[in-house]
């Protein structure tokens, strides 16, 4: 008797991980009139079952449990849908029979949704977002491989405890760092300066670094339906104070400014923001540059004006954190700066 054969045949095959796939729409679920059209298509029209059906290899990686959570173009992402999605992900990762979650999403606001979940999912189980730059109907659509790679990452034990991840074009990014950097390239997502966490290719998953800042179970944030009103303004040549004054009149709780360079702000806008801060509006300085970080007490003298520095968060992610921090009861620049230094 061949001992090797008898040992391996008596060993039961390990059951495949059970991965929930939540579809929300986007180009990955987009369809155009013909296969060569990669720009004139409708996002979010292909259902989750059809997305899965074109990737038979999924059945070798995981037992996939599909759900159609939404069918939108992600430019139209809303706070109520964020609440629904985050609550659903939290419910799934709390279930014993789910080992991880994959979310298919539009690329346009993916980095915002990913960071929101990174701060509000209460589990070590992998949660992986993916997307596509070409519609499902396109020649060389990138969605099927991105979906297979996302499920492969979610099914891999090394992804546990890494926070919310984005699997895109063979790279694995942290939700905190990743940003969309191209309007058309299939390599549209980067983690500026810091780089990706790792890679996924041909079924192999490798992490080369991990996330240092607090996330998922280690945050104070719990998803709810209370979204403090926070808006974004930009600093640029000749900017006026009109937008800031209108926002204060409208009753915003916070304003994120996409400043120039190291979060510097045009004098007219800085005065308007200082006036807003003196009325209790939270003001966070970020940068429109696209990489690097905004250092506290730079040109805008944060201490004197009551401003907060966003560090390395871009304006859109800074807005997510500011809304969550305000909803959690943080008030004043000291408490808010602590949140930006921690997350
Ligand atoms: C969207 O964000 O829903 C449309 C664009 C895309 O997914 O690339």
């Amino acid at each position: 008797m061949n001992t090797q054969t008898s040992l391996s045949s008596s060993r039961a095959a390990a059951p495949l991980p059970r991965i929930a796939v939540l579809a929300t729409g986007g180009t990955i679920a987009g369809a155009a009139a013909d296969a060569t059209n990669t720009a004139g298509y409708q996002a979010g029209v292909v259902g989750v079952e059809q997305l899965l059906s074109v990737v038979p290899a999924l059945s070798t990686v995981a037992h996939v449990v599909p759900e159609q959570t939404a069918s939108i173009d992600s430019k139209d992402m809303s706070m109520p849908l964020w609440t629904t999605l985050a609550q659903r992900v939290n419910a799934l990762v709390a279930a014993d029979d789910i080992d991880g979650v994959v979310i298919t999403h539009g690329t346009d606001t993916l980095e915002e949704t990913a960071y929101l979940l990174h701060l509000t999912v209460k589990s070590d189980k992998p949660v992986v977002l993916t997307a596509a730059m070409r519609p499902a109907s396109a020649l060389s659509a990138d969605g099927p491989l991105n979906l297979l790679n996302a499920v492969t990452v979610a099914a891999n034990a090394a992804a546990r405890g890494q926070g919310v991840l984005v699997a895109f074009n063979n790279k694995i990014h942290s939700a905190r760092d990743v940003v969309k950097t191209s309007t058309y390239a299939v390599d549209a997502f980067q983690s500026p300066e810091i780089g990706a966490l790792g890679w996924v290719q041909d079924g192999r998953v490798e992490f080369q670094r991990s996330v240092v800042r607090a996330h998922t179970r280690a945050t104070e944030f719990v998803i709810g339906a209370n979204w403090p009103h926070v808006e974004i303004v930009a600093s640029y040549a000749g900017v006026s104070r009109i937008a800031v004054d209108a926002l204060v009149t409208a009753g915003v709780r916070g304003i994120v400014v996409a400043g120039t360079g190291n979060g510097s702000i045009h004098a007219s806008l800085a005065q308007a923001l200082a006036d807003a801060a003196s009325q209790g509006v939270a003001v966070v300085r970020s940068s429109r540059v696209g990489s690097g970080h905004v250092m506290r007490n730079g040109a805008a003298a944060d201490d004197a004006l009551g401003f907060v520095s966003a560090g390395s968060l871009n304006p859109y992610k800074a807005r997510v954190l500011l809304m969550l921090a305000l909803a959690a009861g943080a008030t004043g620049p000291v408490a808010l700066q602590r949140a930006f230094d921690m997350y």
Side-chain angles (χ1 to χ4, degrees):
M1 185 170 76
N2 181 329
T3 319
Q4 187 121 17
T5 309
S6 80
L7 276 179
S8 55
S9 58
S10 64
R11 203 182 293 138
L16 288 174
R18 287 175 61 86
I19 305 297
V21 174
L22 307 190
T24 68
T27 295
I28 192 168
D34 68 80
T36 57
N37 191 340
T38 58
Y41 59 88
Q42 197 176 347
V45 292
V46 179
V48 65
E49 300 283 0
Q50 201 179 330
L51 293 184
L52 296 169
S53 71
V54 299
V55 195
L58 282 168
S59 65
T60 65
V61 175
H63 179 83
V64 169
V65 184
E67 267 185 45
Q68 191 75 48
T69 309
S71 300
I72 63 160
D73 184 319
S74 82
K75 71 179 174 55
D76 298 323
M77 180 53 73
S78 67
M79 265 74 104
L81 182 51
W82 267 355
T83 298
T84 301
L85 180 62
Q87 287 176 339
R88 185 65 190 136
V89 173
N90 271 296
L92 285 164
V93 292
D96 290 340
D97 62 350
I98 291 293
D99 299 302
V101 175
V102 165
I103 301 163
T104 60
H105 199 286
T107 60
D108 287 344
T109 57
L110 181 145
E111 69 207 56
E112 297 170 55
T113 301
Y115 189 48
L116 171 81
L117 296 173
H118 189 67
L119 296 174
T120 57
V121 169
K122 300 298 171 196
S123 174
D124 285 341
K125 289 182 185 173
V127 175
V128 185
L129 282 85
T130 196
M133 290 299 286
R134 295 176 182 154
S137 54
L139 202 62
S140 298
D142 52 331
L145 182 58
N146 283 344
L147 179 55
L148 177 62
N149 282 340
V151 173
T152 302
V153 173
N156 193 290
R160 280 186 72 97
Q162 303 271 10
V164 171
L165 302 169
V166 173
F168 201 89
N169 201 41
N170 295 108
K171 303 256 175 55
I172 305 167
H173 296 271
S174 167
R176 188 186 189 280
D177 305 323
V178 73
V179 292
K180 183 176 178 180
T181 58
S182 174
T183 56
Y184 67 92
V186 289
D187 197 8
F189 284 87
Q190 311 290 336
S191 297
E193 293 200 331
I194 293 173
L197 291 182
W199 53 265
V200 48
Q201 187 163 6
D202 299 352
R204 275 194 65 192
V205 172
E206 189 170 315
F207 283 86
Q208 287 158 340
R209 65 177 183 88
S210 55
V211 181
V212 171
R213 291 201 175 213
H215 57 75
T216 52
R217 291 196 306 144
T219 81
E220 65 219 75
F221 307 124
V222 178
I223 197 73
N226 168 25
W227 292 99
H229 188 178
V230 175
E231 299 278 356
I232 299 171
V233 299
S235 189
Y236 46 87
V239 64
S240 77
R241 57 178 296 152
I242 294 172
V244 169
D245 289 343
L247 290 174
V248 173
T249 302
V252 290
R253 298 273 315 279
I255 298 174
V256 175
V257 55
T260 40
N262 177 24
S264 56
I265 308 170
H266 189 292
S268 312
L269 196 61
Q271 186 56 57
L273 290 165
D275 294 346
S278 71
Q279 292 177 57
V281 175
V283 175
V284 175
R285 284 191 310 114
S286 63
S287 177
R288 66 182 210 179
V289 166
S291 72
H293 52 265
V294 170
M295 290 177 60
R296 194 168 165 75
N297 277 331
D302 295 322
D303 284 343
L305 299 175
F307 293 174
V308 172
S309 146
S312 58
L313 290 179
N314 72 15
Y316 316 103
K317 293 189 186 196
R319 174 174 172 268
V320 170
L321 177 53
L322 182 55
M323 285 190 293
L324 289 173
L326 289 170
T331 48
V334 173
L336 290 170
Q337 189 64 65
R338 178 194 147 272
F340 277 85
D341 291 346
M342 201 166 164
Y343 304 111

